[in-house]
Every structure is written in C-alpha cells, then in structure tokens.
Amino acid sequence: MVNADGLATRLVGEHDRKERFRPFAAANGIVSLDGAYEIQDRYVSLLKPRCGAPIGYKIGLTSQRMQTMCGIDQPIAGVVLADRLHRSGARVAIADYGRIGLEFEIAVRIGRDIPAGGPALTAESIAKHVAGVCAAIEIVDDRAADYAELDVLSLVADNSWNGGVVLSEFRSGWPSLDAVAGVVSRNGVEVDRGHGRDVLGHPFAPLAWLANALAAKGQSLRAGEIVMTGSLVTTRFPTESERYRFELEGIGAVELDVVAAQ
C-alpha cells in the first residue's frame, strides 16, 4: 500500500533540508505513472500554502534522447505555482536550491478553456487555444541527482523538479515556432542554441500531449494558464554568479541573474 501523504511530506522535508535526490518509487510501491502523479498531487497540495496556487504546468522529457535515457515513451508534467513565477530580470540565489538547473523554453499562455471531453488534440488543432507565446527559463531543482540511476517515477512524484519559471512578455503574434531559433547567452557570450522543432517537432506537440493527458483524467487546460513546453537545449547548472539571456528570434528575450553566496 502506497503511503501517498507520507511520501509527499517526506518530499517537502527533503527539499527544506536540500537533501540529495535519490530514487524512492520502487521501495515505496509506486509502480506506474498514475501512482507517481498521485504523489505529485499530494506534494503540490502541501506546497500551496507557501508557494501559492497553481498557475500552469511544465512539460519535461520532450526529446527522444531524454525519453530513451529515462526509459519512457512520453513526456512528463509538473505544476507551476504562483509564487514561483518570475519576470525577466529576476535574481535567484543558488543556495535556495539543492542544485539549480536552467532550461530554455518556449512558454505559452492559454487563451480559452479547452474542453475535456472533445476529440484528441494535435499540434495543429490546439493552436487556436493559444493566446500568446514568450521566451522562458525554467528553474529546475534536481538536488544533485545521479542521472545514471534516474527513476522517472520518482522524478514525476517530485513535481518533475520544477522550481520556478522566468518569463518575458507574451506576444500575441509569432513566427513559425518549429523554425524559431533560441539563443542562450551567459554573461553576454552565446553558449548554446536550439530551435522550436527540438521539442517533439513543434512546441505545440507537447502542449497537445498535456491537454490530452489531462483530459484522460477529467481535467483540462484553462484560460490564462501558462505552459512550459520543454527545453530547446540541454540543461545548464550554474555554480557561480552569472547572468543568462535567452532570446527567441522574432518573439523576445528573457534574462535571469543567478547569484552565488557572498
């Protein structure tokens, strides 16, 4: 019997103590994604008093390479909470996380509710529900996980490691998102770049996956919610004070200062 409340409470404590992430699903009877999301739901409920209400979702494992590494054939999702939303130019402290990671993404804002009972959505059909897109940085907290022994069920239960999001201004018009280039700069120097097609061919593909996954549980995306659609490049793990800028060509740019202890 899975002790969902106990595991959720344990996760809160591990984060508070900044303990290293270690797989725990198998030892605690979590054998399916549904079971992992049940723990996530309990964990997020415990976070709400300190981190605010849910305002949207993050989607992870949106590349074939990452899915293969983790032994999974679909993306994963986590919940974004209100007090973890930052605007461009924000400053965050490395010491506030077990290990901070940065992912560079296209975020979308839902313009109208998506009915839960309709036909399965595709990257094409979900486009009419999107009111805006922007450049975004996801803050992940992997708590120095050992990726060689990564357990995707434990990762999902831990809210898919979301620690916050940083957003530029949303644009109500945008170029073809599969072809959009995203450029990552650190301290003014380009360090990586990717394209919208690097997340399942188009950023709206993982968005449609999320809408369909929610619909299968009788839930749906709502107007005003924000969705992070997955990183265009590999995760970066700052260890010293640095300024990051992520620019989506034809859309905008987002900046974040990561600050080490003085």
Side-chain angles (χ1 to χ4, degrees):
M1 185 73 174
V2 177
N3 181 0
D5 290 327
L7 289 173
T9 300
R10 169 179 158 181
L11 281 169
V12 171
E14 288 180 353
H15 277 272
D16 286 345
R17 295 185 296 271
K18 299 179 178 60
E19 293 181 4
R20 185 173 187 181
F21 176 91
R22 298 188 186 281
F24 59 87
N28 288 277
I30 305 170
V31 297
S32 68
L33 280 171
D34 286 343
Y37 280 113
E38 181 182 354
I39 307 302
Q40 182 189 115
D41 290 344
R42 306 288 183 88
Y43 173 49
V44 169
S45 293
L46 293 179
L47 292 178
K48 289 178 185 178
R50 62 170 79 180
C51 300
I55 58 168
Y57 299 87
K58 63 81 56 92
I59 307 173
L61 304 187
T62 54
S63 72
Q64 183 63 54
R65 181 172 63 87
M66 286 299 295
Q67 290 180 11
T68 299
M69 184 186 84
C70 294
I72 191 171
D73 62 357
Q74 59 183 291
I76 62 173
V79 178
V80 179
L81 299 169
D83 292 350
R84 292 178 168 179
L85 170 63
H86 308 279
R87 297 300 176 186
S88 181
R91 293 165 60 90
V92 297
I94 291 174
D96 288 343
Y97 305 88
R99 180 172 69 171
I100 189 173
L102 304 179
E103 300 188 343
F104 303 88
E105 315 193 12
I106 298 173
V108 307
R109 184 173 60 204
I110 303 301
R112 54 176 172 165
D113 293 354
I114 299 177
L121 290 156
T122 65
E124 293 75 21
S125 64
I126 203 168
K128 64 184 179 183
H129 296 280
V130 177
V133 304
C134 75
I137 299 172
E138 182 186 0
I139 301 168
V140 297
D141 187 358
D142 75 352
R143 293 190 283 133
D146 181 352
Y147 284 71
E149 59 176 28
L150 182 61
D151 165 28
V152 72
L153 298 182
S154 300
L155 165 59
V156 167
D158 197 8
N159 198 29
S160 298
W161 289 346
N162 180 256
V165 300
V166 189
L167 305 180
S168 70
E169 295 297 322
F170 280 97
R171 290 278 303 272
S172 58
W174 51 85
S176 179
L177 293 181
D178 56 342
V180 162
V183 180
V184 181
S185 299
R186 182 186 64 204
N187 298 331
V189 178
E190 180 179 333
V191 292
D192 209 345
R193 66 168 55 213
H195 297 83
R197 58 179 172 268
D198 294 325
V199 287
L200 301 182
H202 192 288
F204 288 174
L207 180 63
W209 167 83
L210 175 63
N212 293 330
L214 289 172
K217 297 189 290 186
Q219 303 171 16
S220 64
L221 290 169
R222 300 294 185 184
E225 289 186 322
I226 294 162
V227 180
M228 304 285 287
T229 60
S231 190
L232 277 56
V233 299
T234 54
T235 309
R236 304 197 71 88
F237 297 96
T239 58
E240 57 189 45
S241 295
E242 297 173 332
R243 170 168 289 184
Y244 283 87
R245 176 182 172 89
F246 178 53
E247 182 172 2
L248 287 174
E249 294 179 357
I251 294 175
V254 60
E255 294 185 342
L256 172 66
D257 285 327
V258 178
V259 182
Q262 300 298 317

